[in-house]
Amino acid sequence: VKIKAPKMVYIVGEEMTAYVMRLVLQLLIEPHVDISQWRFFDLSCKNRRDTGDHVLEEAIEAGKECACIFKEPTITPDQDQVIEMGLGIALPSPNGAMRRGFNGFTVSRDTIHVEGLDLGYRNQVLFDRQAVGGEYSAGWKMVGPGRVRTTWCSADGETTEVLTEFAVSDSQNSVVTYWNPLDHVEKLAHFFFKRCYDAKVTPYVTTKKTVFKWQEEFWQRMKKCFNSHYRDKFRKAGLLSCCGGELTHLLTDNAAMQLINWRGGKFGMVAHNYDGDWLTDEMAQVHQSPGFIMSTLVGSKRNGVTIKMFEACHGTAADMWRSHRQGKATSFNPLGLLTALLSAIEYSIELSAEQHEDNDLLIFTGKLRSEVHLAMASGKGTKDLYREKGLTTEEFLQYIATRMANLTDAQCSTAMLADRKRSKVGCTSTMVYLKSLVPDVSGLYRKSLKPLLDHLDATRISFLLVGAFILVKFKQ
């Protein structure tokens, strides 16, 4: 019997990542999970063109309704791709439309860690960036010699003000204007500082306010929120001891250097939209590759319900797609995509108010995550990890599918415990297994086992499980 999944919006992209996710659904999800409540939207360039981009509008409305979205990487075509794909028109970025549609206030990009793999950062790194505004909302025009004037007009149309006026003298000039919204900065600040405190990492705010004077307000609002609501908590937790007990501002060029230097992790950064984009690209390269980073757009409904869209940090892997279409073997690491999908499923469970300790779907996501991590740490990863000994795209996913099909209940519990530090469902899965061995295990778990599990490493817990199993069988 399949486990029924709550409703969720699934955005289909294109190229290599779309192919990989078709395999993920066929091999890893659909054999175990009933996804009939998921709503699928194809945001490939050709389907967007064929529907007059109505499919994007429909996807946004569906996402706003259910508040949980998984998104495969999509393409925003440049002029060459418009011609190559026969699109006829240059389609705008779907990401920008979704960020606006979901009232997005941050894009969180965080490192993914696999127990047993030595990646770039030894501990968690968090990064939040404004989800809207900046260069991504820019208007532009190519003009000849002359003068440029930018004018602000009040909403009621009664007041106007010239903001800038200057001469342009080249035969061709690219004139760009954009704005940066500030009303949501306080919400972003609370979200970022709470995440940092919960993860026990030191927060930093990064701007280039020395040159871009308009960025000063972002820093001031972040600092005001921190000093009013969080500074004392961070000081008591010892999370500001490395920076004089105060929230620290980093210029973006300094932040770029520290992202390389601070390999120990345990820090968080928050930035404007574009700065956060390229800084997290750098963070991804330090931490092995973009495949080891997960990205989450966070917004909100009018009723206050948080909207989350989960995706990998990387693109569509066009180079691998070309190789695949030529019949060549590929070795795509699906960790970022899988982590995003499993996180989306877990958030859909949370929204459905069924996040109790023995939720079968929650146990399934923990089991699958653990199997992927264990495979990667034990020599069964893709070629980006193990070079010529690595598995191909299809071999890796088939290996995980076989493991998922063959695991016994006892092995499931041990596998998840091995990844307990990285997955909140580890102790839950252990309790479900123990229920089959010990009557009225709930009281025993709360009083004795949970405190023990919280302070033991995975190896010792595995021995305890085996011992408990042998003891029960012996008594029988």
Side-chain angles (χ1 to χ4, degrees):
V1 178
K2 292 185 179 182
I3 309 166
K4 195 170 186 65
K7 62 182 180 180
M8 184 175 85
V9 166
Y10 188 113
I11 304 294
V12 178
E14 42 196 322
E15 298 190 324
M16 190 66 189
T17 46
Y19 166 70
V20 170
M21 287 310 299
R22 284 198 298 273
L23 292 179
V24 167
L25 292 179
Q26 291 168 9
L27 296 174
L28 305 182
I29 303 299
E30 291 179 332
H32 310 281
V33 181
D34 175 359
I35 59 173
S36 57
Q37 291 196 77
W38 291 7
R39 297 185 63 186
F40 287 80
F41 295 89
D42 178 3
L43 291 193
S44 64
C45 289
K46 289 185 178 180
N47 195 50
R48 290 181 63 193
R49 177 204 61 191
D50 292 345
T51 63
D53 227 4
H54 290 310
V55 64
L56 176 58
E57 298 171 8
E58 292 171 355
I60 291 172
E61 287 305 310
K64 287 161 65 175
E65 187 272 325
C66 78
C68 181
I69 307 100
F70 167 76
K71 178 179 173 293
E72 296 177 6
T74 51
I75 294 175
T76 302
D78 58 24
Q79 288 301 319
D80 290 337
Q81 288 173 315
V82 168
I83 297 172
E84 179 185 339
M85 296 180 185
L87 300 177
I89 56 172
L91 296 165
S93 167
N95 291 338
M98 286 186 281
R99 290 171 187 175
R100 293 188 296 272
F102 299 150
N103 295 316
F105 61 87
T106 186
V107 177
S108 300
R109 288 186 171 174
D110 304 336
T111 53
I112 301 170
H113 296 263
V114 176
E115 198 74 32
L117 275 187
D118 184 15
L119 301 172
Y121 295 107
R122 293 188 295 278
N123 296 286
Q124 186 77 64
V125 176
L126 310 179
F127 207 115
D128 277 290
R129 54 181 265 228
Q130 282 184 298
V132 294
E135 288 85 339
Y136 298 95
S137 61
W140 64 279
K141 188 76 174 178
M142 298 297 295
V143 298
R147 296 190 65 79
V148 174
R149 180 186 297 119
T150 56
T151 304
W152 169 81
C153 180
S154 63
D156 58 14
E158 295 183 359
T159 305
T160 60
E161 180 181 350
V162 175
L163 304 181
T164 60
E165 185 171 1
F166 52 89
V168 291
S169 55
D170 282 14
S171 59
Q172 272 201 314
N173 306 274
S174 178
V175 177
V176 182
T177 60
Y178 63 83
W179 64 292
N180 215 64
L182 293 171
D183 287 354
H184 68 276
V185 171
E186 184 176 2
K187 182 183 289 187
L188 167 60
H190 281 292
F191 183 82
F192 171 68
F193 294 133
K194 186 178 185 303
R195 285 198 335 124
C196 287
Y197 183 78
D198 290 344
K200 296 298 180 282
V201 303
T202 301
Y204 296 87
V205 179
T206 178
T207 75
K208 189 70 172 178
K209 65 188 183 73
T210 51
V211 177
F212 304 135
K213 303 299 184 183
W214 54 269
Q215 292 190 350
E216 177 71 35
E217 185 64 23
F218 180 83
W219 158 244
Q220 292 298 334
R221 292 189 181 210
M222 296 293 296
K223 183 179 179 181
K224 180 180 179 181
C225 178
F226 183 81
N227 290 346
S228 299
H229 301 282
Y230 298 95
R231 181 169 57 185
D232 291 344
K233 292 172 60 176
F234 274 79
R235 283 177 174 174
K236 289 177 182 178
L239 297 174
L240 300 179
S241 56
C242 59
C243 46
E246 299 291 338
L247 178 65
T248 298
H249 174 270
L250 296 176
L251 292 175
T252 50
D253 41 4
N254 186 15
M257 290 185 287
Q258 301 308 342
L259 281 171
I260 297 173
N261 292 334
W262 292 345
R263 298 299 181 96
K266 291 189 177 181
F267 66 89
M269 291 186 183
V270 62
H272 283 93
N273 197 355
Y274 181 68
D275 289 340
D277 194 356
W278 67 264
L279 284 169
T280 51
D281 286 343
E282 180 189 8
M283 180 177 84
Q285 292 306 313
V286 173
H287 198 59
Q288 185 77 17
S289 76
F292 289 88
I293 305 291
M294 193 183 77
S295 182
T296 309
L297 168 66
V298 183
S300 60
K301 289 187 177 185
R302 293 184 181 275
N303 63 4
V305 173
T306 299
I307 299 173
K308 291 185 179 182
M309 183 172 76
F310 301 85
E311 56 185 324
C313 194
H314 53 70
T316 59
D319 53 345
M320 281 197 189
W321 181 238
R322 283 191 292 271
S323 296
H324 173 76
R325 294 183 68 183
Q326 293 167 4
K328 299 177 182 178
T330 62
S331 185
F332 181 89
N333 185 336
L335 181 64
L337 289 168
L338 279 167
T339 302
L341 178 62
L342 296 178
S343 298
I345 293 172
E346 288 164 357
Y347 186 58
S348 73
I349 297 170
E350 181 181 334
L351 291 174
S352 70
E354 294 182 3
Q355 198 175 10
H356 43 79
E357 61 191 12
D358 57 353
N359 181 287
D360 289 338
L361 185 55
L362 193 60
I363 294 169
F364 169 81
T365 60
K367 173 183 172 184
L368 179 51
R369 182 184 282 107
S370 294
E371 281 304 311
V372 171
H373 286 199
L374 286 169
M376 289 185 169
S378 62
K380 295 294 185 180
T382 43
K383 293 184 185 297
D384 60 318
L385 296 173
Y386 295 105
R387 305 306 178 196
E388 68 277 359
K389 294 182 180 180
L391 303 180
T392 66
T393 303
E394 294 81 6
E395 287 172 345
F396 178 78
L397 292 174
Q398 186 58 63
Y399 174 80
I400 301 299
T402 301
R403 288 282 301 170
M404 292 293 290
N406 294 340
L407 276 177
T408 65
D409 288 343
Q411 287 171 324
C412 291
S413 297
T414 304
M416 281 183 279
L417 284 167
D419 199 44
R420 183 176 60 86
K421 293 181 180 179
R422 302 297 180 197
S423 174
K424 60 186 177 183
V425 301
C427 290
T428 300
S429 63
T430 305
M431 182 178 179
V432 172
Y433 171 57
L434 288 175
K435 280 181 178 178
S436 67
L437 303 178
V438 183
D440 191 26
V441 72
S442 299
L444 174 65
Y445 175 78
R446 286 193 302 270
K447 294 176 182 178
S448 303
L449 287 178
K450 189 175 185 302
L452 181 64
L453 291 173
D454 288 341
H455 291 87
L456 291 177
D457 60 33
T459 302
R460 292 191 180 98
I461 296 171
S462 299
F463 279 120
L464 282 174
L465 273 176
V466 173
F469 180 79
I470 293 172
L471 180 62
V472 171
K473 288 296 182 183
F474 178 77
K475 288 184 176 181
Q476 290 175 347

